[in-house]
Short mmCIF file of all heavy atoms in Angstrom, two decimals:
data_model
loop_
_atom_site.label_atom_id
_atom_site.label_comp_id
_atom_site.label_asym_id
_atom_site.label_seq_id
_atom_site.Cartn_x
_atom_site.Cartn_y
_atom_site.Cartn_z
N LEU A 1252 -7.61 -11.30 1.25
CA LEU A 1252 -8.23 -12.47 1.87
C LEU A 1252 -9.47 -12.91 1.09
O LEU A 1252 -9.71 -14.11 0.90
CB LEU A 1252 -8.58 -12.18 3.33
CG LEU A 1252 -7.38 -11.92 4.25
CD1 LEU A 1252 -7.87 -11.56 5.66
CD2 LEU A 1252 -6.47 -13.15 4.30
N ALA A 1253 -10.24 -11.93 0.62
CA ALA A 1253 -11.42 -12.26 -0.19
C ALA A 1253 -11.01 -12.84 -1.54
O ALA A 1253 -11.69 -13.73 -2.07
CB ALA A 1253 -12.27 -11.01 -0.39
N PHE A 1254 -9.91 -12.37 -2.07
CA PHE A 1254 -9.41 -12.83 -3.36
C PHE A 1254 -9.07 -14.33 -3.32
O PHE A 1254 -9.25 -15.05 -4.31
CB PHE A 1254 -8.19 -11.99 -3.74
CG PHE A 1254 -7.54 -12.34 -5.05
CD1 PHE A 1254 -8.24 -12.96 -6.08
CD2 PHE A 1254 -6.20 -12.02 -5.27
CE1 PHE A 1254 -7.62 -13.26 -7.29
CE2 PHE A 1254 -5.58 -12.32 -6.47
CZ PHE A 1254 -6.30 -12.95 -7.47
N ARG A 1255 -8.59 -14.78 -2.19
CA ARG A 1255 -8.27 -16.21 -2.05
C ARG A 1255 -9.51 -17.08 -2.23
O ARG A 1255 -9.43 -18.22 -2.69
CB ARG A 1255 -7.65 -16.48 -0.68
CG ARG A 1255 -6.26 -15.88 -0.49
CD ARG A 1255 -5.76 -16.09 0.93
NE ARG A 1255 -5.59 -17.50 1.23
CZ ARG A 1255 -4.48 -18.18 1.04
NH1 ARG A 1255 -3.41 -17.57 0.54
NH2 ARG A 1255 -4.39 -19.45 1.36
N ARG A 1256 -10.67 -16.52 -1.88
CA ARG A 1256 -11.92 -17.27 -1.99
C ARG A 1256 -12.65 -16.99 -3.30
O ARG A 1256 -13.27 -17.90 -3.87
CB ARG A 1256 -12.83 -16.92 -0.81
CG ARG A 1256 -14.12 -17.72 -0.78
CD ARG A 1256 -14.88 -17.48 0.50
NE ARG A 1256 -16.11 -18.26 0.55
CZ ARG A 1256 -16.98 -18.23 1.56
NH1 ARG A 1256 -16.73 -17.45 2.62
NH2 ARG A 1256 -18.06 -18.97 1.53
N TRP A 1257 -12.58 -15.75 -3.75
CA TRP A 1257 -13.26 -15.36 -4.99
C TRP A 1257 -12.23 -14.87 -5.99
O TRP A 1257 -11.85 -13.69 -5.99
CB TRP A 1257 -14.29 -14.28 -4.71
CG TRP A 1257 -15.41 -14.75 -3.84
CD1 TRP A 1257 -16.39 -15.64 -4.17
CD2 TRP A 1257 -15.68 -14.34 -2.48
NE1 TRP A 1257 -17.25 -15.83 -3.10
CE2 TRP A 1257 -16.85 -15.03 -2.05
CE3 TRP A 1257 -15.07 -13.47 -1.58
CZ2 TRP A 1257 -17.39 -14.88 -0.79
CZ3 TRP A 1257 -15.60 -13.30 -0.32
CH2 TRP A 1257 -16.74 -14.00 0.07
N PRO A 1258 -11.77 -15.74 -6.88
CA PRO A 1258 -10.72 -15.37 -7.84
C PRO A 1258 -11.09 -14.23 -8.78
O PRO A 1258 -10.21 -13.60 -9.36
CB PRO A 1258 -10.51 -16.67 -8.63
CG PRO A 1258 -11.01 -17.75 -7.73
CD PRO A 1258 -12.15 -17.15 -6.98
N GLY A 1259 -12.38 -13.95 -8.91
CA GLY A 1259 -12.80 -12.86 -9.78
C GLY A 1259 -12.35 -11.50 -9.29
O GLY A 1259 -12.42 -10.50 -10.03
N LEU A 1260 -11.86 -11.43 -8.05
CA LEU A 1260 -11.38 -10.16 -7.50
C LEU A 1260 -9.93 -9.86 -7.90
O LEU A 1260 -9.36 -8.88 -7.42
CB LEU A 1260 -11.49 -10.17 -5.97
CG LEU A 1260 -12.91 -10.24 -5.38
CD1 LEU A 1260 -12.85 -10.35 -3.86
CD2 LEU A 1260 -13.71 -9.01 -5.79
N GLY A 1261 -9.38 -10.68 -8.78
CA GLY A 1261 -7.98 -10.51 -9.17
C GLY A 1261 -7.63 -9.12 -9.66
O GLY A 1261 -6.69 -8.50 -9.15
N PRO A 1262 -8.34 -8.59 -10.67
CA PRO A 1262 -8.00 -7.25 -11.15
C PRO A 1262 -8.08 -6.18 -10.07
O PRO A 1262 -7.28 -5.24 -10.06
CB PRO A 1262 -9.03 -7.01 -12.26
CG PRO A 1262 -9.38 -8.39 -12.75
CD PRO A 1262 -9.36 -9.24 -11.51
N LEU A 1263 -9.03 -6.34 -9.14
CA LEU A 1263 -9.16 -5.38 -8.04
C LEU A 1263 -7.94 -5.45 -7.13
O LEU A 1263 -7.44 -4.42 -6.66
CB LEU A 1263 -10.44 -5.66 -7.26
CG LEU A 1263 -10.78 -4.68 -6.12
CD1 LEU A 1263 -11.00 -3.27 -6.67
CD2 LEU A 1263 -12.02 -5.16 -5.36
N PHE A 1264 -7.46 -6.66 -6.87
CA PHE A 1264 -6.28 -6.82 -6.02
C PHE A 1264 -5.04 -6.26 -6.71
O PHE A 1264 -4.19 -5.64 -6.06
CB PHE A 1264 -6.08 -8.29 -5.68
CG PHE A 1264 -4.99 -8.55 -4.68
CD1 PHE A 1264 -5.13 -8.14 -3.36
CD2 PHE A 1264 -3.83 -9.20 -5.05
CE1 PHE A 1264 -4.13 -8.37 -2.42
CE2 PHE A 1264 -2.82 -9.44 -4.12
CZ PHE A 1264 -2.97 -9.02 -2.81
N ALA A 1265 -4.93 -6.47 -8.02
CA ALA A 1265 -3.80 -5.92 -8.77
C ALA A 1265 -3.80 -4.40 -8.71
O ALA A 1265 -2.77 -3.77 -8.44
CB ALA A 1265 -3.85 -6.40 -10.22
N ALA A 1266 -4.97 -3.81 -8.96
CA ALA A 1266 -5.08 -2.35 -8.90
C ALA A 1266 -4.79 -1.84 -7.49
O ALA A 1266 -4.13 -0.81 -7.30
CB ALA A 1266 -6.46 -1.90 -9.36
N GLY A 1267 -5.29 -2.56 -6.48
CA GLY A 1267 -5.05 -2.16 -5.10
C GLY A 1267 -3.59 -2.22 -4.73
O GLY A 1267 -3.09 -1.38 -3.96
N SER A 1268 -2.87 -3.20 -5.26
CA SER A 1268 -1.43 -3.31 -4.97
C SER A 1268 -0.68 -2.12 -5.53
O SER A 1268 0.19 -1.54 -4.86
CB SER A 1268 -0.88 -4.61 -5.55
OG SER A 1268 -1.48 -5.74 -4.96
N VAL A 1269 -1.01 -1.74 -6.76
CA VAL A 1269 -0.34 -0.59 -7.38
C VAL A 1269 -0.70 0.70 -6.64
O VAL A 1269 0.16 1.56 -6.40
CB VAL A 1269 -0.72 -0.49 -8.87
CG1 VAL A 1269 -0.15 0.78 -9.49
CG2 VAL A 1269 -0.24 -1.73 -9.63
N LEU A 1270 -1.97 0.83 -6.27
CA LEU A 1270 -2.41 2.03 -5.54
C LEU A 1270 -1.74 2.09 -4.17
O LEU A 1270 -1.30 3.17 -3.73
CB LEU A 1270 -3.93 2.03 -5.40
CG LEU A 1270 -4.54 3.25 -4.71
CD1 LEU A 1270 -4.16 4.54 -5.43
CD2 LEU A 1270 -6.07 3.11 -4.63
N SER A 1271 -1.66 0.96 -3.48
CA SER A 1271 -0.99 0.93 -2.17
C SER A 1271 0.48 1.30 -2.30
O SER A 1271 1.03 1.99 -1.43
CB SER A 1271 -1.13 -0.47 -1.55
OG SER A 1271 -2.47 -0.77 -1.27
N PHE A 1272 1.12 0.84 -3.36
CA PHE A 1272 2.52 1.21 -3.61
C PHE A 1272 2.65 2.72 -3.77
O PHE A 1272 3.54 3.35 -3.18
CB PHE A 1272 3.01 0.49 -4.87
CG PHE A 1272 4.37 0.94 -5.35
CD1 PHE A 1272 5.51 0.41 -4.79
CD2 PHE A 1272 4.49 1.88 -6.36
CE1 PHE A 1272 6.77 0.82 -5.23
CE2 PHE A 1272 5.73 2.30 -6.81
CZ PHE A 1272 6.88 1.76 -6.24
N SER A 1273 1.76 3.31 -4.55
CA SER A 1273 1.81 4.76 -4.80
C SER A 1273 1.60 5.54 -3.51
O SER A 1273 2.33 6.50 -3.21
CB SER A 1273 0.76 5.15 -5.83
OG SER A 1273 0.93 4.44 -7.04
N VAL A 1274 0.61 5.12 -2.72
CA VAL A 1274 0.34 5.79 -1.44
C VAL A 1274 1.53 5.63 -0.50
O VAL A 1274 1.90 6.58 0.22
CB VAL A 1274 -0.95 5.23 -0.80
CG1 VAL A 1274 -1.12 5.75 0.62
CG2 VAL A 1274 -2.16 5.60 -1.65
N ALA A 1275 2.14 4.46 -0.50
CA ALA A 1275 3.29 4.22 0.37
C ALA A 1275 4.45 5.16 0.03
O ALA A 1275 5.10 5.71 0.93
CB ALA A 1275 3.74 2.77 0.26
N ILE A 1276 4.72 5.35 -1.25
CA ILE A 1276 5.81 6.26 -1.65
C ILE A 1276 5.49 7.68 -1.20
O ILE A 1276 6.38 8.40 -0.71
CB ILE A 1276 6.01 6.21 -3.18
CG1 ILE A 1276 6.48 4.82 -3.61
CG2 ILE A 1276 7.00 7.28 -3.62
CD1 ILE A 1276 7.80 4.39 -3.03
N VAL A 1277 4.23 8.09 -1.36
CA VAL A 1277 3.84 9.43 -0.92
C VAL A 1277 4.04 9.60 0.58
O VAL A 1277 4.59 10.61 1.04
CB VAL A 1277 2.36 9.71 -1.30
CG1 VAL A 1277 1.88 11.01 -0.65
CG2 VAL A 1277 2.20 9.79 -2.82
N VAL A 1278 3.64 8.60 1.35
CA VAL A 1278 3.75 8.69 2.81
C VAL A 1278 5.21 8.65 3.25
O VAL A 1278 5.59 9.34 4.21
CB VAL A 1278 2.94 7.55 3.47
CG1 VAL A 1278 3.24 7.46 4.96
CG2 VAL A 1278 1.45 7.79 3.26
N ILE A 1279 6.05 7.89 2.55
CA ILE A 1279 7.48 7.88 2.88
C ILE A 1279 8.05 9.29 2.73
O ILE A 1279 8.81 9.77 3.59
CB ILE A 1279 8.23 6.89 1.98
CG1 ILE A 1279 7.91 5.46 2.38
CG2 ILE A 1279 9.75 7.13 2.06
CD1 ILE A 1279 8.48 4.41 1.44
N ILE A 1280 7.68 9.97 1.65
CA ILE A 1280 8.19 11.31 1.41
C ILE A 1280 7.57 12.34 2.35
O ILE A 1280 8.28 13.18 2.93
CB ILE A 1280 7.92 11.72 -0.06
CG1 ILE A 1280 8.72 10.82 -1.01
CG2 ILE A 1280 8.30 13.19 -0.30
CD1 ILE A 1280 8.37 11.02 -2.48
N ALA A 1281 6.26 12.27 2.51
CA ALA A 1281 5.55 13.31 3.26
C ALA A 1281 5.67 13.16 4.77
O ALA A 1281 5.71 14.17 5.48
CB ALA A 1281 4.07 13.32 2.85
N VAL A 1282 5.72 11.92 5.26
CA VAL A 1282 5.60 11.72 6.70
C VAL A 1282 6.70 10.83 7.28
O VAL A 1282 7.42 11.23 8.20
CB VAL A 1282 4.22 11.11 7.05
CG1 VAL A 1282 4.08 10.96 8.58
CG2 VAL A 1282 3.09 11.95 6.49
N LEU A 1283 6.83 9.62 6.77
CA LEU A 1283 7.70 8.62 7.40
C LEU A 1283 9.14 9.11 7.48
O LEU A 1283 9.83 8.89 8.49
CB LEU A 1283 7.62 7.30 6.63
CG LEU A 1283 8.46 6.15 7.17
CD1 LEU A 1283 8.12 5.85 8.62
CD2 LEU A 1283 8.28 4.91 6.30
N SER A 1284 9.63 9.73 6.41
CA SER A 1284 11.01 10.22 6.41
C SER A 1284 11.27 11.20 7.56
O SER A 1284 12.35 11.21 8.15
CB SER A 1284 11.35 10.87 5.07
OG SER A 1284 10.44 11.93 4.79
N LEU A 1285 10.28 12.01 7.88
CA LEU A 1285 10.44 12.98 8.97
C LEU A 1285 10.69 12.27 10.30
O LEU A 1285 11.51 12.72 11.11
CB LEU A 1285 9.19 13.86 9.08
CG LEU A 1285 8.73 14.57 7.79
CD1 LEU A 1285 7.51 15.43 8.08
CD2 LEU A 1285 9.86 15.41 7.21
N TYR A 1286 9.95 11.18 10.53
CA TYR A 1286 10.13 10.43 11.78
C TYR A 1286 11.51 9.77 11.83
O TYR A 1286 12.13 9.72 12.90
CB TYR A 1286 9.05 9.36 11.90
CG TYR A 1286 7.70 9.88 12.34
CD1 TYR A 1286 6.67 10.05 11.43
CD2 TYR A 1286 7.46 10.20 13.68
CE1 TYR A 1286 5.43 10.53 11.83
CE2 TYR A 1286 6.23 10.67 14.09
CZ TYR A 1286 5.22 10.84 13.18
OH TYR A 1286 3.99 11.32 13.59
N VAL A 1287 11.98 9.26 10.71
CA VAL A 1287 13.29 8.60 10.70
C VAL A 1287 14.41 9.61 10.93
O VAL A 1287 15.32 9.38 11.73
CB VAL A 1287 13.51 7.87 9.36
CG1 VAL A 1287 14.92 7.29 9.29
CG2 VAL A 1287 12.48 6.76 9.17
N TYR A 1288 14.33 10.76 10.25
CA TYR A 1288 15.37 11.78 10.39
C TYR A 1288 15.20 12.60 11.67
O TYR A 1288 16.11 13.35 12.04
CB TYR A 1288 15.35 12.72 9.19
CG TYR A 1288 15.44 12.04 7.85
CD1 TYR A 1288 14.63 12.44 6.80
CD2 TYR A 1288 16.33 10.99 7.63
CE1 TYR A 1288 14.69 11.83 5.56
CE2 TYR A 1288 16.41 10.36 6.39
CZ TYR A 1288 15.58 10.78 5.36
OH TYR A 1288 15.65 10.16 4.14
N GLU A 1289 14.03 12.49 12.29
CA GLU A 1289 13.70 13.29 13.48
C GLU A 1289 13.86 14.77 13.16
O GLU A 1289 14.39 15.56 13.96
CB GLU A 1289 14.58 12.87 14.66
CG GLU A 1289 14.40 11.42 15.06
CD GLU A 1289 15.34 10.97 16.16
OE1 GLU A 1289 15.96 11.86 16.79
OE2 GLU A 1289 15.46 9.77 16.39
N ASN A 1290 13.40 15.12 11.97
CA ASN A 1290 13.52 16.48 11.46
C ASN A 1290 12.26 16.81 10.68
O ASN A 1290 11.97 16.15 9.68
CB ASN A 1290 14.76 16.60 10.56
CG ASN A 1290 14.99 18.00 10.05
OD1 ASN A 1290 14.07 18.82 9.98
ND2 ASN A 1290 16.22 18.28 9.67
#
């Protein structure tokens, strides 16, 4: 949301997107999959 107003935050948003992707994959493996499989 801040990036929409301040374009200079572009590299930060790009890095954040990649980091969020990495964290999401970790959580899918470590936690989310357990809830889906109920195991």
